[in-house]
Amino acid sequence: MISAEEFTNQLVTEFEDVEPNTVFPDTNYREIKNWSSMYALIIIAFIDANFDVQLSADDLKNTQTVRDLYAIVCEKMK
Amino acid sequence: MAISINHISTYLPKKILTNEDLSLQFNVSSEQIFKNTGIKKRYLSAPGEISSDMAVKAAETLFQDYSIDRSDIDFLIFCSEGFDHKGPSTSCLIQHRLGLNKNIACVDLPYGCSGYIYGLGMANAYLTSGMSQKVLFLTADMATTVIHKDDLELKSIFSDIGTATIITKATYNEHFIFGTDGSGYHNLIVDHSASRNPQTIEKLQENNMPLGHMKMQSTEIFVFAVKTVPKLVQDILLKHNYTIDDIDLFVFHQASYFMLDVIRRKCKIPKEKFFVNIEQFGNSVSSTIPVALKDAKEQGVLKKGMKVLVAGFGIGYSWGATVIEY
C-alpha cells in the first residue's frame, strides 16, 4: 500500500480546482477549497477505482481528515 | 422468440430550464452547475400538464410519424411515478384518449429509473407467451413537480419527457436480469405523496407541494449505483455469453454524467461505445433510455442490427438490464 502522503497527492489530482501542496494527510477534507457534495462522490470513485474498496456514506460521515480515509482504505484492504 | 423495438417517439415540453436560469436563482455559476451534472438543459412540463398528457402526445407523434395503425395494438404499458388518479389505472384513461381497441390489456407500471427495462421485460413475456402481438409502451414522468423550489441539486438534474415505443416479436433471443433492494427506499423517495406519510395541511402551508416532495441522498445513491451497475453489466453479459466486445452500444439510464463516467470506467467500456446524451435532455427518469435510443439512432450511432446493452437503475433500489438487437 502506498503511503498516506502519496494517497493524498493522488487524491488531490482528482479535484480539478485544488492546487497541489494545499492538501495534506491531516487536512480536514471538507475544508478543501470549493468543497461540495460532488467532492464526496469524487473521493468514493477514486478509492473504488484505485484500491477496489467501496466506501459507504457512513464511512464518509465518520471521517474528518484525508488520513482517516487512508486508514479506512488500509483496513478494508486487509 | 423475443422482442424488437420498432419505433420510438418522444414528447419534449416547450419550457426549458438552462444552467443560466438556475444560476440566476441560486448563487452558483452556470459553469459549476454544468461541472457537477454534465447537463446543459432540462425540460419542464407546463402547469397542469401531467405525465399522461406527455405520454399521449408521444404516442400520437409515434402513430403519425411511423403510420402505425392503432387498432393493431393489443397491450398497453404506461410506466410512470406520476399517475392521474389513485384509481383507475391511468393506462385505462390513455386507452380511451388514444382511441385504442377495447379488447386490449392495459397496465400501469409504477417504476422510475429502472422502468424501461421492466417494461421491455413485460413486453417480452406477453409477446413470447402469445398473449400479445404488438405492445405500445409509454413512459412519462413529471419529477420537476415534486422538487422543492430551493433544491438546486435536484432541480439541476431532473427533466420531464414522455416517450412511446412500439414493440413486436423478434427472432433474437434476449435475457433479462432484474434486481431489488428495498432497504434503500428512503435514499430516493417522493415523500408525502401517498398513504405512508400523507400530505398534511401544515406541510402544504410550509412548502406548497401537493404532489409530494422528492428527497435524495446523493452520496448513498452514488454508492449504490457504482457498486451495483458494474456487476449488473457483468451478469447480463454472462447470461448472453457475451463479452464487452460483442456489444455494439451501451445505453444506460442517464442519471448524471459523473456517475455514468465512473460506471463506464469501472466496467472498462470504451468511450465510443458508451452513449451519453444527458447534456441535452437531463435525467427524465424512466424516459432516459428511449430518449437515448432515439437520439443515438438520429445521430447515426445506433444502426439496425446492432446489439445494445440497456441498463436501468435507481429509485427502489431497483435495477435491470438486457441486451436487445435493434
Side-chain angles (χ1 to χ4, degrees):
Chain A
M1 180 61 179
I2 58 173
S3 67
E5 287 72 21
E6 181 57 25
F7 177 87
T8 306
N9 291 339
Q10 287 186 15
L11 177 61
V12 170
T13 61
E14 301 286 321
F15 303 133
E16 279 179 30
D17 298 335
V18 179
E19 296 289 319
N21 303 320
T22 58
V23 179
F24 305 97
D26 293 315
T27 302
N28 182 332
Y29 61 80
R30 290 186 186 81
E31 289 171 4
I32 291 173
K33 194 182 162 197
N34 297 329
W35 170 265
S36 70
S37 58
M38 188 69 194
Y39 278 36
L41 307 188
I42 292 171
I43 290 173
I44 292 167
F46 164 75
I47 290 174
D48 187 288
N50 292 281
F51 305 98
D52 198 20
V53 166
Q54 284 79 45
L55 289 192
S56 66
D58 277 345
D59 287 331
L60 282 186
K61 276 179 205 151
N62 296 330
T63 56
Q64 301 294 322
T65 66
V66 180
R67 196 183 296 280
D68 295 339
L69 292 172
Y70 176 75
I72 288 186
V73 174
C74 290
E75 182 60 33
K76 291 199 178 193
M77 283 176 78
K78 275 182 189 169
Chain B
M1 202 176 320
I3 57 169
S4 170
I5 293 178
N6 302 134
H7 304 291
I8 298 173
S9 286
T10 57
Y11 167 74
L12 306 173
K14 282 192 183 69
K15 193 168 180 196
I16 289 170
L17 181 69
T18 65
N19 292 344
E20 289 68 31
D21 298 331
L22 287 168
S23 177
L24 283 175
Q25 193 190 337
F26 298 89
N27 192 22
V28 187
S29 71
S30 53
E31 292 78 19
Q32 189 61 46
I33 295 166
F34 180 68
K35 199 185 257 184
N36 285 356
T37 59
I39 300 169
K40 283 190 175 163
K41 60 179 189 182
R42 310 106 191 118
Y43 291 88
L44 304 182
S45 50
E49 182 178 48
I50 63 173
S51 303
S52 61
D53 299 335
M54 294 188 277
V56 164
K57 284 172 184 162
E60 288 292 1
T61 304
L62 182 91
F63 296 156
Q64 197 177 334
D65 288 356
Y66 300 102
S67 305
I68 288 166
D69 183 352
R70 61 189 80 201
S71 67
D72 287 344
I73 292 158
D74 56 14
F75 184 42
L76 169 67
I77 305 169
F78 175 50
C79 179
S80 180
E81 289 184 318
F83 295 110
D84 286 23
H85 309 281
K86 285 259 178 67
S89 286
T90 302
S91 54
C92 294
L93 281 75
I94 293 176
Q95 173 273 332
H96 174 65
R97 289 172 70 180
L98 288 175
L100 303 180
N101 285 344
K102 289 183 179 171
N103 60 340
I104 70 168
C106 292
V107 292
D108 283 0
L109 178 57
Y111 267 82
C113 315
S114 60
Y116 197 70
I117 310 299
Y118 265 89
L120 294 182
M122 287 172 72
N124 175 292
Y126 271 76
L127 291 164
T128 306
S129 67
M131 284 194 283
S132 169
Q133 304 299 315
K134 190 173 264 189
V135 177
L136 174 62
F137 177 24
L138 307 178
T139 68
D141 238 308
M142 41 191 222
T144 69
T145 62
V146 289
I147 296 173
H148 192 276
K149 64 180 174 45
D150 298 328
D151 193 334
L152 170 64
E153 185 180 25
L154 295 186
K155 273 191 158 185
S156 63
I157 296 172
F158 287 100
S159 191
D160 303 332
I161 297 177
T163 77
T165 306
I166 282 282
I167 307 167
T168 55
K169 285 179 194 172
T171 50
Y172 174 75
N173 196 14
E174 79 269 344
H175 304 283
F176 286 83
I177 287 180
F178 292 101
T180 308
D181 179 8
S183 71
Y185 81 95
H186 55 286
N187 290 323
L188 181 49
I189 187 168
V190 184
D191 208 357
H192 312 293
S193 59
S195 307
R196 183 83 66 193
N197 269 350
Q199 276 291 4
T200 61
I201 290 170
E202 292 75 24
K203 272 278 159 210
L204 281 170
Q205 283 171 341
E206 184 189 316
N207 59 25
N208 190 28
M209 301 178 73
L211 302 178
H213 184 177
M214 192 201 292
K215 297 169 183 172
M216 182 171 81
Q217 303 296 325
S218 54
T219 310
E220 301 280 3
I221 295 294
F222 183 80
V223 170
F224 149 73
V226 170
K227 191 174 157 191
T228 309
V229 181
K231 183 164 186 330
L232 174 65
V233 171
Q234 201 176 29
D235 291 348
I236 197 68
L237 287 172
L238 199 65
K239 205 163 182 179
H240 286 86
N241 272 327
Y242 290 152
T243 66
I244 296 256
D245 293 342
D246 295 314
I247 303 297
D248 299 302
L249 198 65
F250 293 81
V251 178
F252 290 6
H253 165 58
Q254 306 284 302
S256 85
Y257 182 84
F258 180 69
M259 185 192 283
L260 285 172
D261 198 49
V262 170
I263 291 169
R264 180 189 66 76
R265 282 187 276 139
K266 200 169 172 186
C267 295
K268 298 187 169 60
I269 299 169
K271 212 167 184 175
E272 61 276 13
K273 282 188 176 186
F274 194 75
F275 191 76
V276 179
N277 72 344
I278 193 169
E279 182 179 310
Q280 295 301 320
F281 296 95
N283 176 343
S284 54
V285 196
S286 56
S287 293
T288 62
I289 295 172
V291 165
L293 289 171
K294 180 178 161 58
D295 193 23
K297 191 181 174 191
E298 284 172 358
Q299 287 187 30
V301 178
L302 174 59
K303 298 183 186 81
K304 193 94 189 139
M306 276 187 161
K307 285 191 177 65
V308 186
L309 194 158
V310 287
F313 47 89
I315 191 167
Y317 301 138
S318 166
W319 59 94
T322 186
V323 178
I324 51 174
E325 195 171 287
Y326 198 76

